[in-house]
Amino acid sequence: MNHLPQAWGRPRDDVYGPYNNSYLQTSGPSQHTQSPIVTGTSVLAIKFKDGVVIAADNLASYGSLARFTDVKRLLRFNSRAVIGFGGDVSDMQYLTRLLSSLEINENYSVTSSTELAANNLHTYLHKVMYKRRSDFNPLWNQILIAGLDVADNPYLASVDLLGTTFSSPTLATGFGAHLAVPIMRRVCPDEEAAKELTQEQAVETVRECMKVLFYRDARSLDKYSIAVVTKEGVDLKHGEKLEKQSWAFAEGIRGYGTQVN
Amino acid sequence: MGSIFTAAPPQSGPGYSFKQTPTTVPEGTRQHGFYPYTDNGGSTLGITGADFAILAGDTRSTSGYNINTRFAPKLFKVGGADSRIVLSVVGFAADGLALKERLDTIVKMYRYQHGKPMSVAACAQRLSHILYQKRFFPYYVTAILGGLDEEGKGALYSYDPVGSYEREQCRAAGAAASLIMPFLDNQVNYKNQYVLGSGEGHALQARERELLPRKDVEELVQDAFSSAVERHIEVGDGLQMFIITKDGIEEIYKPLKLD
Amino acid sequence: MTSIGTGYDLSNSVFSPDGRNFQVEYAVKAVENGGTAIGIRCKDGVVLALEKLVVSKLLKHGANKRIATVDRNAGIVSSGLTPDGRHFVSRARDEAAQWRKLYKAPIPTSSLANRMGSYVQAYTLYSSVRPFGVTAIIGGWDAEDELPVDGMVGSGPSVGSGGKQEGSKKGGPSLYMIEPSGLYWGYYGAATGKGRQSAKSELEKLDLAAGNLTLEEGVKEAARILYFAHEDSKDKEFELEMTWISSKDGPTKGRHEEVPKELREEAERLAKKALEGDEDDEDTKMEE
C-alpha cells in the first residue's frame, strides 16, 4: 500500500493543478457563504383563475456535475401554500427545517383556526432573507411562494438572497426568468388575463416551459415536480417526466448532432 | 491500488479537455463574493403646488435586463390609514421596503404616543436620522417624502442614501432622474426661461417663478414619465401618482409602455 | 402507617422514615381533584379526551382548550393544576423541537415520555422546587414507514444497499402516562383525575390489549367513558374535549388534531343515550 494522499483519492497535481488550500484558512476574517455549492436551477409559476401552478425540476447540480437527480425542490407548507426553491440546496434544507418548525408552532393550539396564508409566509421568508443578507450571511436562494392569500385569492410572489421581493401573475427564477417568463407572459400578461386562465391552460403552459428549459438550460433535468394550489388544497406531484420532446431544432446546431466541426 | 502511483508521476498531465492545468496556487486570501445590494431600476418624482403635493413613480421592477414584475409600487402611504404623508423610494427595493416599514411604524407610534399626527417636517427629519444612522451600511435608496406643511402648503423633501436632505419645489430620482430633472428645472422652476425682449446677456430678465396649478403639474408628471420611458429601459409599465391635498390622498394609476 | 407527614412533609427531597416522599403524595392529591382525562390506544390511532369542568359561566364555550399539540404527531392531556400542565406541555414542545434540531426527524413518543419522565422526576429531588401537580397522558403516532430526514435531498437508493428493508413496518400508536413522581408506563388505556376509578374499570372492559378497537370506536368509547365517569359529580357542568391521532392513511394523516365537531357531537349523543339506557335498566330493576 501507499500512504500518499493521491493514492487515496486526492486529485493529482499534475492532472488537476496544485491543490488550493485557501478555503481551509484558519486565520483571517470569519467567512460566510461566498457562493452556492450544490444548486437547483429554475422554478416556474403562473397564476390562474382559481389558484397557482408551480414547478421545478428534480436536479441538484454540483457545478457542472448533475449530482442529485431526485431532489424535491417544491415544499408543501400547508393546504394553501407551496414554496419553490432555486439556488443553494443546503440553504433550502435549512429553510425547510425552519418552515417545518414554524408550521409545528402554528398548530400548537388544537383549535382549528385558519392556516397561515401564502402572503403571510412570503412576508416571513422576506424577513428571514433580508436579515441574513444584512448580516452578510445570505441564504443563497431565490424562492417563489405560490398559494392563496388571506382573502383566498391566488397569490404568487418571490424573494431572493438579497431580500428583494416582488409579485406578478407569472414568475420564474434563474434561467427561467430569461426563457420561461416570455412564454408565460404570452398567455398571462397581466392580472386580468390570470383571472380568465383555466387550470388546464396554466398547467399546460408550465409544462411547455419546463420543456423549453430542458432544451436550453444545461443544468436542468427532464424530471420535475409540479404543484397546483387551489381552494381544494395542494396537488403536488414529484418525479413527472417531460413528454413529447422534439430535438429537431438541434440538427442545425453545430456540435449537437452529426455535424461536429 | 497504490501500485499505480509507485512510479514517478508523469511530468505533463494526460490529455484531458483542458490542456493547461494551473501550476501555481492563487496568492492571498479569498475575497468576499457577496455583494448585498442590487439596483431594481425605476424612477420617482415629486412636485409641490400651493395646496397640494404630487408624488409619482413608475411600477416596473428590474434585475439587469429582466423585468421582475410590471407592478411593484415605489410609493407608500406612511403612518396608517388617515395619514397625509407619502414616501417614495427608488434604488434597492429590499432596502426601500425595510425603510418604509421602519418609518411607517415610527409615524404610527408618534400618533399613538402624542395623540396627533406627525408633521411632515418632523417626519422628514426623522427619516434623515434613520438613513444617517445606517451610513456605514446604507439603505441604498433615494427617498422623496411628500405631504402638506403646517400652513397647508405642499411640502417635499428629497434625500440621498445617507440622510442628507432638503426641502424643494420639485425633485426627480432614480434611473431616469438625469432625464427628468432638467425638464422639471425648465418647466417648474422656469430655468433658462427669460422675459421676451428684456435684453441680452446679463440684462436678460429671468421669467418670474409661480406655483403651478394641479392640472398643469399632473400633465407635467405624465409628460416626464412618458418621455423617460422612451429613453430609459428600466422605466415603464405603469405610472402611479399620489396627490396629497387637505382632503386626503388621491391615487391615480395610468399605464405606460410595456417595452 | 400514618398518612400524616409528622414533619417529613414540609420539604421536597426529604424521605419519611418509612420511605415516602410526602410532597409527591400531596401532588397526587392535587391531581385527584382535577377533571377526568383519559387516553385510549386503538389499533389505528390514539384518542385523548378530557372532562373540562366549567368553572365559570363567564368563560366562552369551546374556548380555552386544554389538550395541547406537542409535535405534529403527538399530543398531551393532563389533569391537576392547569398552569403546571401548561409548563409541562411547554417543556415537551421544547424537547420535541430540540430532538428535531438534533436528529432532523420527529421525536418517538417513547423518547418523549422518557424525557418528560426524567424532567418530572427532577422536581422531586430538590428542596427548592415542588413536584408537578399534574398527571399527564401523552399520545402519539410514530410513522410506520422509513421517514425521510427533514429537508433530505433525494430519496436515497431505490435498490440495493442503503439500509432499507423491503416492507419493514415499525412505529404505530403509543400512549404513556406520567405521574407527579416521574413514574411513567406505556398503557393501552389510561385515566387520571377525579373519575379515574370508574373510567379505568370501563377501559378494562374494552379489552384493548387484543388490539381490535378502531379509532372511530375509540372516540365513541372515550366520550361514553367520560360521561360515565362524570356521573359522580353530576351537579357540575362540563365540556368534552377530544383529540385524535391516526396513521398517515387515517383521517388525521398522522397528525394530532381535534376530533371533528360532527363526530364529537355524534359520540356525545351516543354517550348520553348509553347513560340513559343504564338508568332505564336500573329503573326497571327497581320496579321488579
Side-chain angles (χ1 to χ4, degrees):
Chain A
M1 282 302 268
N2 186 336
H3 68 277
L4 291 171
Q6 280 81 0
W8 293 82
R10 177 167 160 169
R12 286 165 55 182
D13 287 3
D14 59 311
V15 178
Y16 298 100
Y19 196 71
N20 186 345
N21 294 297
S22 67
Y23 80 100
L24 289 170
Q25 285 165 62
T26 48
S27 60
S30 77
Q31 302 207 344
H32 293 138
T33 310
Q34 308 293 310
S35 60
I37 309 294
V38 179
T39 56
T41 182
S42 322
V43 186
L44 317 177
I46 186 166
K47 277 202 229 179
F48 63 95
K49 61 181 169 130
D50 310 311
V52 193
V53 187
I54 182 168
D57 72 21
N58 295 338
L59 180 69
S61 307
Y62 179 72
S64 58
L65 173 73
R67 181 64 184 83
F68 302 102
T69 55
D70 55 355
V71 176
K72 292 154 187 161
R73 296 197 289 123
L74 296 188
L75 170 72
R76 177 193 186 276
F77 180 75
N78 56 26
S79 75
R80 51 195 298 155
V82 169
I83 301 160
F85 296 90
D88 193 275
V89 168
S90 69
D91 287 348
M92 171 184 92
Q93 291 176 308
Y94 167 78
L95 282 167
T96 304
R97 291 177 194 133
L98 190 72
L99 291 167
S100 167
S101 75
L102 176 71
E103 197 266 347
I104 291 167
N105 278 239
E106 281 294 308
N107 288 295
Y108 273 164
S109 162
V110 290
T111 323
S112 43
S113 54
T114 49
E115 289 180 298
L116 221 53
N119 59 323
N120 303 137
L121 200 59
H122 177 249
T123 308
Y124 177 83
L125 282 169
H126 160 63
K127 300 267 168 184
V128 171
M129 300 297 274
Y130 185 71
K131 172 73 170 60
R132 290 292 294 259
R133 87 98 216 188
S134 298
D135 293 344
F136 278 89
N137 188 194
L139 293 165
W140 216 288
N141 298 105
Q142 195 174 72
I143 302 166
L144 297 189
I145 295 102
L148 302 175
D149 67 9
V150 275
D152 272 351
N153 296 123
Y155 182 87
L156 174 59
S158 153
V159 60
D160 68 5
L161 69 165
L162 296 173
T164 316
T165 57
F166 43 84
S167 176
S168 173
T170 63
L171 282 177
T173 73
F175 237 81
H178 296 96
L179 295 181
V181 161
I183 300 171
M184 294 195 290
R185 280 192 187 151
R186 201 139 71 179
V187 279
C188 186
D190 49 30
E191 291 289 344
E192 285 67 45
K195 286 193 183 80
E196 300 295 314
L197 205 66
T198 66
Q199 178 174 330
E200 291 69 33
Q201 286 172 307
V203 171
E204 173 58 29
T205 309
V206 166
R207 287 190 196 273
E208 192 60 32
C209 288
M210 290 305 289
K211 195 152 73 184
V212 169
L213 281 165
F214 181 58
Y215 288 150
R216 293 292 184 182
D217 180 359
R219 293 348 161 211
S220 71
L221 201 67
D222 54 355
K223 224 168 74 198
Y224 62 99
S225 306
I226 188 165
V228 182
V229 196
T230 58
K231 272 183 206 156
E232 275 67 58
V234 173
D235 178 22
L236 174 57
K237 284 180 282 199
H238 292 298
E240 295 281 290
K241 296 284 283 181
L242 279 185
E243 281 166 6
K244 288 184 230 140
Q245 290 177 47
S246 164
W247 288 82
F249 71 91
E251 288 296 305
I253 299 176
R254 197 170 277 247
Y256 244 117
T258 49
Q259 208 180 358
V260 178
N261 285 308
Chain B
M1 176 187 180
S3 60
I4 305 168
F5 291 103
T6 46
Q11 285 307 298
S12 59
Y16 285 87
S17 45
F18 300 99
K19 285 196 181 97
Q20 286 296 312
T21 49
T23 51
T24 52
V25 171
E27 283 296 307
T29 52
R30 290 204 183 179
Q31 294 294 304
H32 274 275
F34 176 64
Y35 185 67
Y37 294 114
T38 189
D39 184 0
N40 297 108
S43 241
T44 56
L45 77 81
I47 301 173
T48 57
D51 56 353
F52 67 91
I54 292 186
L55 270 95
D58 70 320
T59 64
R60 178 175 288 184
S61 159
T62 61
S63 291
Y65 290 138
N66 289 121
I67 296 171
N68 293 327
T69 175
R70 300 193 192 279
F71 189 76
K74 288 186 248 305
L75 268 40
F76 305 101
K77 288 177 194 174
V78 159
D82 58 348
S83 150
R84 295 289 159 75
I85 300 176
V86 173
L87 173 71
S88 77
V89 280
V90 64
F92 175 35
D95 273 351
L97 209 63
L99 181 64
K100 164 242 162 184
E101 299 262 292
R102 266 184 76 178
L103 192 69
D104 189 43
T105 44
I106 284 166
V107 178
K108 277 178 180 159
M109 286 310 291
Y110 183 99
R111 222 213 126 96
Y112 303 148
Q113 284 170 350
H114 298 89
K116 60 176 183 185
M118 202 174 194
S119 69
V120 201
C123 184
Q125 190 161 63
R126 192 68 182 81
L127 177 57
S128 168
H129 285 151
I130 296 170
L131 290 164
Y132 189 69
Q133 268 177 6
K134 254 176 77 73
R135 68 195 176 284
F136 294 124
F137 184 23
Y139 287 117
Y140 219 137
V141 291
T142 319
I144 300 173
L145 193 74
L148 297 178
D149 67 11
E150 268 141 346
E151 295 164 23
K153 292 180 183 145
L156 195 73
Y157 294 86
S158 68
Y159 297 78
D160 79 351
V162 286
S164 119
Y165 79 115
E166 62 177 326
R167 185 171 171 177
E168 289 182 296
Q169 210 63 241
C170 72
R171 171 60 65 183
S178 57
L179 276 62
I180 298 175
M181 203 59 219
F183 172 70
L184 296 183
D185 284 338
N186 182 250
Q187 290 296 307
V188 179
N189 290 326
Y190 295 154
K191 290 281 161 65
N192 293 90
Q193 291 198 47
Y194 300 96
V195 179
L196 209 61
S198 58
E200 270 181 26
H202 290 296
L204 267 174
Q205 232 181 316
R207 179 180 167 191
E208 197 163 336
R209 279 201 48 221
E210 64 206 337
L211 286 171
L212 298 172
R214 179 178 153 176
K215 193 174 138 293
D216 292 14
V217 174
E218 276 183 45
E219 281 169 11
L220 274 181
V221 170
Q222 285 209 45
D223 288 349
F225 271 94
S226 49
S227 307
V229 167
E230 293 295 329
R231 288 290 187 176
H232 202 117
I233 55 167
E234 289 173 355
V235 182
D237 293 334
L239 171 62
Q240 195 186 20
M241 272 198 277
F242 277 174
I243 300 145
I244 310 138
T245 63
K246 65 177 174 21
D247 305 315
I249 302 173
E250 195 184 319
E251 184 179 353
I252 296 175
Y253 175 83
K254 297 237 163 96
L256 290 173
K257 282 167 80 169
L258 303 177
D259 56 6
Chain C
M1 207 189 285
T2 171
S3 65
I4 303 167
T6 58
Y8 295 102
D9 60 348
L10 298 177
S11 175
N12 208 356
S13 89
V14 170
F15 276 117
S16 79
D18 42 348
R20 296 159 64 181
N21 185 339
F22 281 104
Q23 283 296 314
V24 169
E25 291 184 23
Y26 298 157
V28 173
K29 292 276 180 217
V31 175
E32 287 171 4
N33 290 324
T36 317
I38 63 167
I40 304 177
R41 181 184 178 276
C42 309
K43 69 171 177 186
D44 51 353
V46 184
V47 187
L48 298 178
L50 173 73
E51 168 210 29
K52 191 168 74 187
L53 297 167
V54 178
V55 286
S56 165
K57 293 243 181 249
L58 298 173
L59 289 171
K60 190 185 171 205
H61 186 84
N64 304 310
K65 294 287 183 212
R66 285 267 306 280
I67 309 182
T69 303
V70 168
D71 202 329
R72 284 195 187 116
N73 60 334
I76 291 180
V77 60
S78 61
S79 182
L81 306 178
T82 311
D84 283 26
R86 293 241 176 83
H87 178 73
F88 182 90
V89 164
S90 158
R91 175 68 184 204
R93 284 170 178 170
D94 287 351
E95 291 288 354
Q98 199 196 22
W99 184 283
R100 268 187 189 270
K101 262 212 164 68
L102 201 56
Y103 301 111
K104 318 294 183 212
I107 188 170
T109 316
S110 57
S111 302
L112 181 64
N114 178 276
R115 290 192 168 197
M116 292 314 292
S118 302
Y119 187 65
V120 169
Q121 193 271 151
Y123 278 70
T124 68
L125 295 174
Y126 307 99
S127 56
S128 54
V129 293
R130 63 167 174 78
F132 276 82
V134 289
T135 290
I137 300 172
I138 300 179
W141 181 283
D142 300 332
E144 55 276 56
D145 303 324
E146 194 86 33
L147 264 191
V149 171
D150 286 356
M152 184 168 103
V153 164
S155 34
S158 49
V159 288
S161 62
K164 281 185 187 166
Q165 278 169 285
E166 193 62 41
S168 78
K169 293 264 174 186
K170 33 185 198 163
S174 30
L175 186 69
Y176 291 84
M177 183 161 77
I178 304 177
E179 293 168 30
S181 61
L183 175 95
Y184 74 91
W185 299 112
Y187 290 89
Y188 288 115
T192 180
K194 195 175 266 178
R196 69 198 172 286
Q197 293 298 357
S198 49
K200 273 183 199 169
S201 64
E202 286 300 308
L203 283 168
E204 280 166 17
K205 288 181 200 163
L206 295 176
D207 190 20
L208 294 163
N212 292 323
L213 195 76
T214 66
L215 189 56
E216 203 148 314
E217 288 166 349
V219 166
K220 285 167 185 163
E221 289 297 344
R224 187 184 63 76
I225 291 168
L226 276 188
Y227 268 84
F228 183 77
H230 183 71
E231 284 295 279
D232 299 331
S233 43
K234 229 177 177 176
D235 48 324
K236 284 184 194 138
E237 260 189 78
F238 80 104
E239 281 176 29
L240 177 65
E241 210 178 305
M242 279 203 291
T243 62
W244 59 351
I245 317 159
S246 77
S247 71
K248 96 170 175 289
D249 312 314
T252 79
K253 299 186 174 65
R255 297 175 71 100
H256 174 248
E257 284 174 0
E258 196 171 28
V259 173
K261 191 159 166 273
E262 300 73 40
L263 181 58
R264 196 197 70 225
E265 281 170 355
E266 167 71 359
E268 284 190 85
R269 193 183 60 77
L270 291 172
K272 283 177 194 159
K273 208 173 136 194
L275 273 186
E276 279 163 19
D278 284 354
E279 274 161 21
D280 288 350
D281 289 350
E282 277 162 31
D283 288 348
T284 47
K285 273 176 201 158
M286 296 277 270
E287 278 159 27
E288 283 164 10

